[in-house]
Amino acid sequence: MVDLEVGEIESLMKDDNGWVGEISTGKGRSRIYKRLRGEESEKLKEGMKVGLLPGTFDIMNSYTTKEFSHYEMTKSPAVSFNEIGGLKSVKQELINSIILPMLNPDDYAKYGERSRRILMYGPPGCGKTMCAKALASALPNCEFVKIGAGELFSMWLGESERNVRMIFKTANDRLEDGENDYGVIFFDEIDALAQERGMYTGSSGAPERVTGQLLDILDGFYALHPHLTVIGATNRLHLIDSAFRARFDKILEVTKADKDASLSIAHIYVQKMPIDRYLIKEKGGEAEARAYLANAIVKYMYEDRYVETEIGRIKREDTVTGRFIAQVFNYARDKALEERTLLILKRGKISDKTMRQMWDDEGMAEILDVESRMDELQKRYKQVEEIGVRMGHLKEGFDKFVPRRAEEMIALGYEVMPEEDTGMHY
């Protein structure tokens, strides 16, 4: 009985005499090169763990590991282009670059290769991820893999670069095997992965090695499947290595939503929530009430005012992004559903005795100030279903979140308003 040493197949190479496996053991040794037996060459794959006999390093066992377990990986992420307000030019570019060549492969193969490497940049919360997911959802049987910097970097020498290789290899293999028809690899905050080389001389060198590995892959050193699309997203285009930027076929600016785009986004979100009965009655119908809420909250957001924070001030309209609009509408929806649930509790309509007992034992009614809030609700609404989103909910959500949103935008350097010169300097 002996303890096997654990190794990992780095690469498989073939010569005239058969297959050779390049194996690393993680112990600072030079890599081991082993001639593979017939059954081993069929069973072993790159990235697979193996058990090695000490001394001779014969391969005694092999172990399969699940790749991508710590990445966001979904089949058709269920996001439609129709659900994205504004960003018409970005959606047009994605359709022109990826979808049209698939509809007319003969002409594009003859007259020009389609763009499979796309870099999107712009302020946070403006829809870069949503656009990438919408593209993956539009493609049939498409796998969407979202990767962040923290999921790639490893403390072990060479591991970060291997992670990059395995992402592309696994996506390629699944396309080759017919498991997927299309694939989209989305690198979020890619500036953290592909920083300008030479900027961080005191680091371990992992960022520069990862940048080099990405350069090799995007430059064609590794053959990518024709149905595999690579998309990068960044808030800070200037931090990305210049050579790396040049490897992308298209660089698209995803701009912050203007007033018209914000209206489009608001009209999408308002369709997904219950509306207050009295508002419907006041506006003459449910459709009219929804349109009123969308128009009114956008008008409120774009008032000619400034948001004051501890680190500066910014125009109110400059805080508005698609993600922020979604946050405001989600807050309003949650407030309406909270009121519905509290009224159900007040009227004793909770059938689950265990949940009701937990509610009473933990004193949750006091935490949520149920008694002081229920008087008005009981007077106003006869049925729980009459409670829905009101303009007050939306304004409350905006006022609650806008200071923090303003600080984020100022910290990132977007549309900062200079402080007035008072003549006093410290």
Side-chain angles (χ1 to χ4, degrees), residues 18 34 37 148 199 203 291 365 415:
K34 291 292 295 184
R37 298 185 289 270
M199 287 179 62
S203 69
E415 302 297 333

Side-chain angles (χ1 to χ4, degrees), residues 14-20 35-36:
K14 191 175 184 181
D15 59 17
D16 294 339
N17 298 317
W19 287 92
V20 175
R35 176 73 60 186
L36 303 181

Side-chain angles (χ1 to χ4, degrees), residues 344-361:
I344 290 173
L345 282 163
K346 182 66 177 178
R347 294 178 177 175
K349 295 184 178 180
I350 299 296
S351 57
D352 191 323
K353 293 182 179 179
T354 305
M355 292 298 291
R356 180 72 202 217
Q357 188 64 44
M358 175 272 294
W359 175 269
D360 294 335
D361 291 345

Side-chain angles (χ1 to χ4, degrees), residues 266 269-270 273 293-294 297 325-333 394:
Y269 280 105
V270 80
M273 51 192 60
L293 286 175
I297 190 58
I325 294 171
Q327 187 179 21
V328 171
F329 273 94
N330 289 340
Y331 176 86
R333 177 205 59 200
L394 291 167

Side-chain angles (χ1 to χ4, degrees), residues 328-385:
V328 171
F329 273 94
N330 289 340
Y331 176 86
R333 177 205 59 200
D334 292 346
K335 292 300 289 186
L337 296 180
E338 177 190 340
E339 290 176 355
R340 283 190 174 199
T341 308
L342 294 180
L343 193 54
I344 290 173
L345 282 163
K346 182 66 177 178
R347 294 178 177 175
K349 295 184 178 180
I350 299 296
S351 57
D352 191 323
K353 293 182 179 179
T354 305
M355 292 298 291
R356 180 72 202 217
Q357 188 64 44
M358 175 272 294
W359 175 269
D360 294 335
D361 291 345
E362 296 295 331
M364 293 185 179
E366 294 181 15
I367 296 172
L368 295 178
D369 300 322
V370 172
E371 291 302 324
S372 62
R373 298 167 63 187
M374 284 304 101
D375 289 342
E376 183 182 348
L377 287 176
Q378 289 201 96
K379 291 175 184 176
R380 183 175 174 85
Y381 302 101
K382 293 180 181 179
Q383 303 294 328
V384 170
E385 293 76 16

